[in-house]
Amino acid sequence: MKLRSRHFLYSFAPFFCVLHTGYAQETAVLQTLQVMAQSEDHSYLNTLSSEATKSGTDPFQTPQNVQVVNQAMLRDSNAQRVGDVIGLVSGVSLLNPLGGLWDNYSFRGFNTDQTIGAAALRNGVNAYLGLNAAHDLINIERIEFLKGPEAALYGAGDPGGTVNIVTKKPQFHPEYSIELRGGSYDQYRTAIDASNALTDTVAYRIGVAYENNHSFRDEVKNNRLFVAPQLTWQPNDATQLDYDSEYTVINSLFDRGVTAVNQQLGKIPNTRFLGEKDDGLMTMNDYLQQLRLRHQWANNWTSTSTINYKDNTWRGFSSEAYQLLNAQGDLNRERRYRIYDTTSYLFNHDVQGELETAQAKHRWSIGLSYSDLTIQNHLLRYRKKGSTESLINIYHPQYGINLPAVSSVYNTHERQNNVALSFSDAIEFSPKWTLLLASRFDYYQQRYNEVVAQTSGQQRFTQWSPKAALNYRVDDATSVFVSAGQSFHLNSGLDIQQQPFAPEKAWTYELGMKKSAFDDRLMSSWSIFQIKKQNVLTTNPVDSSYMITAAEESSRGIEWDFTAQPIDALNLKLAYAYIDAKVSKTEAASGIQKGSALLNSPKHNASLMMMYDLWQSGGQKVAVGSNIQYLSKRSGNVYDNGFNLPAYTLVHLNAAYQVTPQLSFQFSLKNLFNQAYYVSSLKDEWVTPGNPREMFVTLNYRFQ
């Protein structure tokens, strides 16, 4: 494995500097800043944090549907990355992660970027600008799914929702654990999580994970290293300075999946790899550094300043299916070499606090941010219709025969500069009525340069993103909310006049209800929503080599989430969504018809997760559980040409044995009935098959 040594060493530099101050000392846990506390709660029930919503922690006073996958769910599902738990939340479904390079998912029917994956918040800050490696869970405390538009707080994003990743924090008491995991198809993982005090005011945390994984797919394999050093300095009860760093390197064979024959799947085994085993190694290096200063002022006002640096590079060759030539199974392939780099700088400052008047109680949040994002996307490719220069037979593949030379197709350089000011006010008129008013003003400068075609363009624009929501608390256990908000997302590229495109814009309308029962042992929420997205890119009818912002997409549906702990020994998580997502306006030249279903968007999506403590005695415990997921059929081609991915139901089994308070074993049996299924698709030639039956054993030991 080749590491970027400079970045790797830099990530440890502050950590080693602090080590020179002295050995770790036994200290009492500081009680004032509760953000440092890590829950040992084993319940799936969890309240949301104020980091992402910025409007308070009481879910019954928050006029928004927010679902939390907490530490207990992450542990019981034996998950390693965010994609492993996507199916636990209504309205969210997994998309093609391209061999685990990045996280990718659909939110209320709208796909995140198929090319660079999904964006996410980090501790309530838009820190993951640009390309991101798939997030490892070793340093993640919980994952919050914020439904609906968040542009009023965070600027550009998807209208369906936003993921907020809440990381683990350094502790002022010892926490040490090691994880060893092995499973089917030679999948191995080692992870270490360590935290303790260095001095009375300084604590550290470091998470390290290494994986060496083969696959059920022929020839496909990858290895992955993740390192996350953190430091916390708490000079007094009111002030806290955090240094966070994340470094990921992934070496993976690029895998486009299988090819459908005459729109039919199963003609070739799902194990068959149609690329080149010696010509598809992708390397991704992902690096983040963050400084965060938090200070609590008088009268419960808090300010948080964040400086964030993010860098990602992605390199490698691949041979990918292009055109099935004949009934004998000869497949014409395109050969690519990708150079994709993103670098971002971010400064963010938030001030939050409460103000009481005679008429109402106000919870204010004021935010100021500046970001600078540069993107280089250089594609070298060989692709020719009818060509036999990069041929493989899908029925009888032979590798390493033809590897044609590639040449530059495009080489784009894009820079996005953004200055923004946001304001939100949660106005509590009475214990029953809360009105949320939020707005953000963005100023963008977008510059685009295409080196191969020697074209360039730039634009400056402003975007106002309002949001209003009204919450009515019927009683202590019931609340109803209604909301409306606008979101936007930047379009990349140049139009026929060599100018950047106007951004996508979307309005979302939502009605929802939250309910608790049985002394808060049962929590449920449901939402009805409608989204209309405009300025979607489609083919220019005058010149098909260019795009225009003339298409529209819409999504409407119902979501229901249910979490319960009816008895101490049993946890339940149930989710269901009905979503109708389609193209509502398009151009005939695009080849996409009005009313076409959006790619990879199932109308029905359901899941049930449960864990039951079968036996417990002292520090020993045996628990068993299952995870059942269902997805209905969905369009498998961006043009909705009649090719659909079939519906499927997966059953996973989990068991855990707590041998001592320090030692535990976990057993997972994925896809119990060995069902053949398909995760996602971009077109008939690029279909991602799901994993067959797999078994994993995980050992976890906590040191004291």
Side-chain angles (χ1 to χ4, degrees):
M1 179 184 299
K2 185 179 180 180
L3 302 178
R4 297 175 70 188
S5 57
R6 177 173 56 90
H7 283 171
F8 185 72
L9 292 174
Y10 283 175
S11 70
F12 280 97
F15 178 76
F16 289 135
C17 289
V18 175
L19 282 177
H20 281 289
T21 64
Y23 297 102
Q25 302 174 16
E26 294 294 331
T27 63
V29 179
L30 299 179
Q31 301 294 328
T32 305
L33 292 181
Q34 297 295 327
V35 297
M36 301 195 56
Q38 304 296 319
S39 175
E40 293 292 329
D41 193 1
H42 297 284
S43 171
Y44 291 178
L45 298 164
N46 202 346
T47 58
L48 76 128
S49 73
S50 61
E51 289 180 310
T53 64
K54 302 183 181 182
S55 61
T57 60
D58 187 349
F60 289 97
Q61 289 185 311
T62 303
Q64 185 177 6
N65 187 347
V66 181
Q67 298 300 316
V68 179
V69 177
N70 64 13
Q71 188 65 208
M73 296 183 201
L74 296 176
R75 181 188 62 251
D76 289 348
S77 59
N78 205 3
Q80 308 303 306
R81 279 178 286 283
V82 173
D84 297 336
V85 296
I86 287 294
L88 299 179
V89 178
S90 67
V92 187
S93 53
L94 185 66
L95 297 180
N96 181 14
L98 294 180
L101 284 171
W102 54 64
D103 298 317
N104 212 357
Y105 46 82
S106 169
F107 228 132
R108 288 182 166 177
F110 294 108
N111 295 336
T112 52
D113 197 317
Q114 290 275 354
T115 304
I116 64 172
L121 305 174
R122 186 182 192 274
N123 298 320
V125 176
N126 200 1
Y128 294 119
L129 296 174
L131 185 62
N132 296 279
H135 298 283
D136 198 283
L137 296 182
I138 189 65
N139 74 327
I140 294 178
E141 178 67 20
R142 65 182 181 275
I143 306 168
E144 300 173 345
F145 294 82
L146 286 67
K147 305 294 188 70
E150 293 297 333
L153 294 178
Y154 299 107
D158 296 307
T162 301
V163 169
N164 180 46
I165 294 174
V166 181
T167 62
K168 297 176 181 178
K169 308 298 191 296
Q171 299 295 289
F172 282 85
H173 61 271
E175 289 186 359
Y176 306 106
S177 67
I178 182 170
E179 173 192 301
L180 301 175
R181 172 183 164 107
S184 303
Y185 307 106
D186 294 327
Q187 300 182 64
Y188 301 103
R189 172 182 168 93
T190 301
I192 298 172
D193 184 21
S195 183
N196 202 355
L198 292 171
T199 71
D200 290 343
T201 60
V202 178
Y204 76 92
R205 187 172 211 113
I206 183 168
V208 180
Y210 176 74
E211 297 180 16
N212 190 353
N213 299 321
H214 288 243
S215 168
F216 77 98
R217 301 268 298 147
D218 297 339
E219 313 297 339
V220 176
K221 57 186 176 182
N222 67 79
N223 57 63
R224 172 189 175 96
L225 174 67
F226 176 76
V227 183
Q230 302 176 75
L231 287 172
T232 288
W233 178 44
Q234 195 176 57
N236 53 60
D237 290 344
T239 304
Q240 182 170 307
L241 177 66
D242 295 305
Y243 166 79
D244 293 357
S245 180
E246 295 178 353
Y247 181 75
T248 306
V249 58
I250 303 173
N251 293 310
S252 177
L253 191 67
F254 194 78
D255 184 15
R256 282 292 194 184
V258 297
T259 292
V261 179
N262 297 323
Q263 297 189 343
Q264 294 187 11
L265 294 164
K267 296 294 184 179
I268 59 175
N270 282 351
T271 59
R272 185 143 301 159
F273 177 61
L274 299 176
E276 280 295 329
K277 62 181 180 179
D278 297 320
D279 188 50
L281 184 63
M282 294 286 181
T283 298
M284 178 180 287
N285 289 272
D286 191 272
Y287 184 69
L288 176 144
Q289 283 200 98
Q290 186 180 98
L291 277 175
R292 189 171 59 254
L293 176 64
R294 183 178 186 269
H295 184 77
Q296 185 168 327
W297 303 89
N299 301 321
N300 293 321
W301 282 80
T302 302
S303 64
T304 305
S305 298
T306 303
I307 300 174
N308 195 90
Y309 168 74
K310 179 76 168 55
D311 181 71
N312 185 291
T313 63
W314 178 32
R315 300 280 194 277
F317 276 103
S318 63
S319 295
E320 307 170 26
Y322 177 54
Q323 179 189 19
L324 194 60
L325 297 177
N326 49 50
Q328 287 72 46
D330 291 328
L331 179 69
N332 176 21
R333 298 178 298 180
E334 58 180 289
R335 190 177 186 227
R336 298 187 178 194
Y337 184 79
R338 292 174 173 86
I339 301 174
Y340 203 108
D341 297 341
T342 65
T343 303
S344 67
Y345 301 88
L346 172 73
F347 170 77
N348 190 87
H349 183 70
D350 287 319
V351 179
Q352 299 175 12
E354 296 182 354
L355 179 67
E356 290 195 39
T357 67
Q359 292 77 30
K361 179 180 179 181
H362 299 259
R363 293 191 299 274
W364 283 0
S365 178
I366 305 170
L368 175 67
S369 71
Y370 169 78
S371 66
D372 185 332
L373 171 64
T374 59
I375 304 169
Q376 182 193 6
N377 186 5
H378 188 188
L379 176 65
L380 296 91
R381 184 178 65 196
Y382 173 87
R383 186 173 73 182
K384 184 178 180 181
K385 284 189 175 182
S387 173
T388 59
E389 292 187 52
S390 183
L391 202 68
I392 196 171
N393 189 278
I394 64 174
Y395 302 115
H396 308 286
Q398 291 183 300
Y399 301 102
I401 298 177
N402 296 307
L403 297 174
V406 298
S407 58
S408 289
V409 178
Y410 55 79
N411 184 3
T412 63
H413 297 257
E414 184 177 359
R415 186 171 184 180
Q416 302 172 7
N417 295 101
N418 170 246
V419 178
L421 178 66
S422 64
F423 174 79
S424 70
D425 185 7
I427 311 169
E428 187 179 328
F429 295 102
S430 71
K432 289 185 175 295
W433 291 97
T434 301
L435 174 65
L436 175 65
L437 299 175
S439 179
R440 173 166 161 142
F441 181 83
D442 283 270
Y443 171 79
Y444 269 97
Q445 182 176 7
Q446 188 178 17
R447 286 162 287 185
Y448 195 89
N449 180 36
E450 212 296 290
V451 177
V452 176
Q454 296 183 336
T455 58
S456 62
Q458 64 177 335
Q459 67 174 344
R460 294 179 176 88
F461 68 91
T462 58
Q463 174 66 35
W464 177 57
S465 305
K467 182 178 182 180
L470 182 64
N471 190 87
Y472 176 64
R473 190 157 187 168
V474 180
D475 52 44
D476 290 342
T478 310
S479 67
V480 180
F481 71 89
V482 59
S483 69
Q486 190 180 46
S487 62
F488 72 102
H489 183 82
L490 269 66
N491 283 315
S492 293
L494 299 175
D495 63 16
I496 198 168
Q497 281 89 33
Q498 306 305 310
Q499 292 298 311
F501 297 103
E504 293 180 351
K505 295 183 180 181
W507 274 97
T508 300
Y509 305 92
E510 186 170 352
L511 172 67
M513 185 178 77
K514 303 171 187 178
K515 179 72 175 178
S516 71
F518 305 109
D519 295 326
D520 294 334
R521 282 185 172 269
L522 182 152
M523 300 281 295
S524 65
S525 64
W526 63 263
S527 295
I528 302 174
F529 64 88
Q530 179 162 331
I531 307 172
K532 185 176 182 180
K533 185 198 292 187
Q534 298 175 309
N535 291 352
V536 179
L537 291 180
T538 187
T539 302
N540 191 324
V542 178
D543 187 341
S544 61
S545 60
Y546 290 96
M547 307 292 285
I548 57 174
T549 54
E552 294 181 358
E553 297 174 349
S554 64
S555 174
R556 60 181 181 178
I558 300 173
E559 296 172 334
W560 179 64
D561 291 88
F562 174 93
T563 309
Q565 191 178 25
I567 57 176
D568 290 345
L570 178 63
N571 277 290
L572 299 168
K573 177 73 170 74
L574 178 65
Y576 168 77
Y578 167 82
I579 298 174
D580 181 18
K582 60 187 179 183
V583 176
S584 50
K585 182 181 178 181
T586 187
E587 294 288 332
S590 69
I592 301 175
Q593 301 297 314
K594 180 180 179 180
S596 297
L598 296 189
L599 183 69
N600 295 310
S601 178
K603 283 195 172 183
H604 301 277
N605 178 348
S607 69
L608 170 63
M609 180 177 177
M610 54 188 290
M611 200 72 174
Y612 178 67
D613 294 343
L614 190 66
W615 170 83
Q616 185 169 2
S617 177
Q620 295 183 308
K621 183 172 70 174
V622 174
V624 295
S626 66
N627 186 355
I628 304 171
Q629 298 180 7
Y630 168 78
L631 262 72
S632 63
K633 73 175 184 178
R634 56 251 185 249
S635 172
N637 191 298
V638 69
Y639 296 101
D640 193 18
N641 62 350
F643 174 61
N644 292 307
L645 304 182
Y648 65 84
T649 301
L650 299 179
V651 179
H652 309 309
L653 300 182
N654 296 298
Y657 176 35
Q658 190 77 43
V659 184
T660 68
Q662 293 77 42
L663 176 65
S664 64
F665 290 92
Q666 191 165 0
F667 308 89
S668 298
L669 185 60
K670 307 291 186 181
N671 194 359
L672 172 66
F673 298 107
N674 201 29
Q675 174 162 358
Y677 69 103
Y678 302 90
V679 178
S680 66
S681 172
L682 189 60
K683 58 180 184 176
D684 302 37
E685 292 81 11
W686 294 347
V687 184
T688 303
N691 291 4
R693 183 188 296 119
E694 298 176 293
M695 185 180 71
F696 297 95
V697 179
T698 303
L699 178 151
N700 189 285
Y701 188 84
R702 294 187 176 186
F703 298 87
Q704 289 186 337

